[in-house]
Structure formats: C-alpha cells, structure tokens
Amino acid sequence: MSTIEQKALAYHRQGSAGKIAIEVTKSVGTQEDLALAYSPGVAAPCVEIQREPARAYEYTAKGNLVGVITNGSAVLGLGNIGALAGKPVMEGKVVLFKKFAGIDAFDIEIDETDPDKLVDIIAALHPTFGGINLEDIKAPECFYIERKLRERLAIPVFHDDQHGTAIVVGAGMINALQLSGREIGNVKIVCSGAGAAAMACLDLLLDLGAKRENIFVCDSKGVLSTRRQLDGEKAAWAQDTGATTLSQVMVGADVFLGVSGPGVLSPRDIEQMSKQPIVFTLANPEPELRPELVREAAPDAIIATGRSDYPNQINNALCFPYLFRAALDSGASTINQEMKRACVMALAEMARSDSRFGKDYVVPGLLDPRLLSGVTPKIAAAAYGSGVARKQLDELVYAEDLKDLAETLL
C-alpha cells in the first residue's frame, strides 16, 4: 500500500468517520426555541408552504441544498464499484460544494442500476433539494437519466462528469488556441474517448465554434467512422474516413483531447501533430501520455492534465460550485447552455487576466480566491438573460456579497 493510500485511509478514519456532518443554524438553547423549531411552531411554515410552494425557499434550507447523487456505476478511475463504495467520493463532492461556494449538500448513494427506476427515485426525492448534481453514473445511461430528470423537474439537474469537464476544457482550449494563434473553427481535433465526458466536451467545443468535420473521435475499437455500425451518441461523430486507428488520425492534428485511459497515446503520435500542438491528456490518475513525454516529443506543446501535480489541471471544481451557487441564488429552473458558456468565458478571462497567463497557466488555479465572485455573477446574469431565472441580481452588488462569503470559506 502506497504512502498516499495510507494517509488517505487515516484521514477518513480519524475523529468523526468520513468528511461531513450536519450543523444546526438556529438557536435551540431554550424551551421557546424548541417550540419554534419543532412542535408546535413548525406547523406555521408548513401551512405557508402548502399554500405557496415557493415559500419553501424562505422557510427551509431547500434554496441552499444540493443533492449529490450516484449509483456508483462509474466512480472516478475505479469503474463500477457500487453505490456504497462510491460514498467517500460523494462526501468529497459535498466538501467541495461547501468549501468553494458555501452550498450545503447531501450525498445520496442509490443502489439501483435500472435507468428508469433510478429516474423515478431521484424525481421522488426532489422536494428536498434546490438542485441535483448527478455524479459517477456510467454512459450511456447517464445521458438518458439526466435528460429525463431535466424534463420532469423544475430545479437544476447537472451531470458534472459530462458538463463540468466540458466547461473547464472549453475555458482551457480557448486560451490555448489564443496562445498558439489559432482559430477554433480551423483546427483539427482528435478525441480519444467516446464516453459521457468526451461527448459533452465535443458538444461544447462545437458551441464555441469548432467544426464537426474537423473532429475525429476514437473509442477502444478505433476511429468512429461511417464504416462501423454505430448508433446513439457515437453515430453522430462518425466520419467518412478510411482511417481506423488513433495514430492515423493524429497526423496533422492541432489538438488532442484525451478523455479515455492511460497509455493510448505515444510520443510518435505527438510528433505527427502540427507545430505547437495542444495536448489535453485528462485520463486520471494516469494520463494518456505523461506530460514530460509529450514535452520531449513537442517542446512547444501546450499541455493540460487532470492531475494536481502538473500545470493546467482540468478540474470540475473550477465550475460546478459556481454554477450551482448562481443557479440557487437566481432561482434558476435549470442550468442551460447560456449559463455553461458564461462559465467558460469567465474562467478563460480570469486566467488571461493573471500575470501567470501562458502555456503553463491556461485555466485558473483551484484555490484562486477570485473564482466565487468573478465567475458566479456572470453565470447568474446569463441565467436571467436567457429566461430561466426568477431573480435578476445586481451583478456588482452580488459580486461584493460573494467576496464577503469567500472570505469566510477560504
């Protein structure tokens, strides 16, 4: 067992087991407090909410509460380990919500693999929450589950493995393209991986201006081509090409996006790319090709990974706390494309405004104190501007309030 594993086990076991607890937010020091908190006083807000359901946001914690929900079918790099074994990861997600955005969250691990049953269970739980963060649910079921829940519920539902990765990739890609003097509509992109995260990344890159005909996608069987009998999400990315392998489509590529597994990329593949290639090797914990090997093959490459021990970490925590903070505060019924795009642009702009901006700094650092107040108001403005939010927040006042909140959190 490695040192990091030993430290992690000790960390999770020491003191109170796990990483989270519940705290009481009102005084309960007197008999009168108890009478207000529970019986008979609690009946008053119950009656008000029955009359007007929206008042749940005034009288309960619903408006600052997110459900972090999984069935454990695709946990980190561990795969289908089951709902219970996935609980430490979900608790970790709860910690990030609280640490970075002051959002309370409950982790809920559901022992169910049938997509329709899972949708029914989550939908039945929705009165508890102001938003739902789906996590570590395998493809292709995750696409269906998110879509069905979004159709049924009037609160934000967000599968972070898909959209969170895509948003941070989008921000890093915008800046990498600018640094290398390229236009997104002209670059050849090769993607290794055809799962949930890969598909969401590609869809967002299209939204940012990439051309579908310039994108080549590979799964474990090779290039997604029209010669293969593909269906569903993969069929939409099939190219009319005779190329069958990743190495073949890497010739002349400007961008490599790896959302697959370790060792699928070789230094020779990098050498076949265009000058100053953009190489995002995001498999975690072991990337498609180690950055030092990428750098040997292409000294001028702009490289990002999913790891914290290399520059340009593509980490979902750069976006999901701020998306939900904005959605909850603006009363948004969903997290839509306009909100995701606003997050992409805000993250990219924040990195560019930093003196460290360059090929080793294309996205902000995870602990950048500007994130909460710099990114969240722009997402909230996009929510209201696109018609999905009930409240229009004054962007400057809201930013100042978030600065105050950030000081209490970091």
Side-chain angles (χ1 to χ4, degrees), residues 40-121:
V42 75
C46 291
V47 170
E48 289 298 307
I49 293 167
Q50 184 185 27
R51 289 175 181 163
E52 179 53 62
R55 289 187 175 174
Y57 289 89
E58 297 177 41
Y59 297 124
T60 77
K62 179 181 174 73
N64 194 48
L65 189 60
V66 169
V68 177
I69 300 178
T70 191
N71 66 354
S73 57
V75 179
L76 292 177
L78 303 174
N80 187 2
I81 62 174
L84 180 59
K87 184 172 175 62
V89 179
M90 300 310 114
E91 286 190 0
K93 198 68 177 271
V94 170
V95 170
L96 297 180
F97 268 114
K98 188 69 172 181
K99 177 68 175 177
F100 293 128
I103 294 172
D104 296 318
F106 290 162
D107 66 294
I108 299 180
E109 294 76 31
I110 301 175
D111 190 12
E112 181 57 71
T113 57
D114 181 275
D116 287 308
K117 290 182 179 179
L118 192 57
V119 167
D120 287 340
I121 292 168

Side-chain angles (χ1 to χ4, degrees), residues 179-214:
L179 285 167
S180 61
R182 294 178 169 101
E183 296 290 335
I184 192 168
N186 298 330
V187 295
K188 178 182 177 180
I189 300 170
V190 174
C191 178
S192 174
M199 295 302 178
C201 288
L202 295 175
D203 285 337
L204 188 55
L205 290 176
L206 287 181
D207 187 68
L208 295 174
K211 300 291 177 59
R212 188 179 290 268
E213 60 267 26
N214 294 338

Side-chain angles (χ1 to χ4, degrees), residues 82-266:
L84 180 59
K87 184 172 175 62
V89 179
M90 300 310 114
E91 286 190 0
K93 198 68 177 271
V94 170
V95 170
L96 297 180
F97 268 114
K98 188 69 172 181
K99 177 68 175 177
F100 293 128
I103 294 172
D104 296 318
F106 290 162
D107 66 294
I108 299 180
E109 294 76 31
I110 301 175
D111 190 12
E112 181 57 71
T113 57
D114 181 275
D116 287 308
K117 290 182 179 179
L118 192 57
V119 167
D120 287 340
I121 292 168
I122 296 170
L125 291 169
H126 91 273
T128 304
F129 302 110
I132 291 173
N133 182 101
L134 300 175
E135 192 79 12
D136 292 352
I137 299 172
K138 72 183 180 74
E141 289 91 336
C142 60
F143 302 113
Y144 175 83
I145 291 165
E146 184 190 42
R147 184 174 70 251
K148 287 296 182 181
L149 287 170
R150 286 167 63 94
E151 291 171 358
R152 289 175 61 170
L153 304 182
I155 60 173
V157 178
F158 185 79
H159 186 216
D160 188 43
D161 302 301
Q162 295 179 55
H163 310 298
T165 302
I167 287 166
V168 185
V169 164
M173 197 65 68
I174 286 172
N175 284 342
L177 290 167
Q178 177 178 314
L179 285 167
S180 61
R182 294 178 169 101
E183 296 290 335
I184 192 168
N186 298 330
V187 295
K188 178 182 177 180
I189 300 170
V190 174
C191 178
S192 174
M199 295 302 178
C201 288
L202 295 175
D203 285 337
L204 188 55
L205 290 176
L206 287 181
D207 187 68
L208 295 174
K211 300 291 177 59
R212 188 179 290 268
E213 60 267 26
N214 294 338
I215 299 174
F216 295 81
V217 185
C218 300
D219 64 7
S220 60
K221 297 179 181 178
V223 179
L224 302 189
S225 73
T226 52
R227 299 184 181 192
R228 294 172 57 183
Q229 293 182 338
L230 300 168
D231 54 20
E233 298 285 337
K234 289 186 179 182
W237 293 98
Q239 290 277 26
D240 185 11
T241 175
T244 59
T245 68
L246 174 65
S247 292
Q248 288 172 341
V249 291
M250 286 292 287
V251 177
D254 301 287
V255 174
F256 172 81
L257 173 62
V259 206
S260 51
V264 303
L265 195 64
S266 73

Side-chain angles (χ1 to χ4, degrees), residues 322-368:
Y322 316 113
L323 280 162
F324 274 96
R325 180 78 277 159
L328 292 170
D329 291 344
S330 66
S333 59
T334 188
I335 294 175
N336 62 12
Q337 196 68 16
E338 289 83 355
M339 295 165 72
K340 289 185 279 186
R341 192 183 308 120
C343 190
V344 169
M345 296 305 179
L347 288 170
E349 181 182 349
M350 183 169 290
R352 288 196 301 273
S353 69
D354 197 293
S355 60
R356 294 168 290 180
F357 179 60
K359 68 179 184 178
D360 288 333
Y361 193 87
V362 297
V363 290
L366 198 58
L367 296 175
D368 193 317

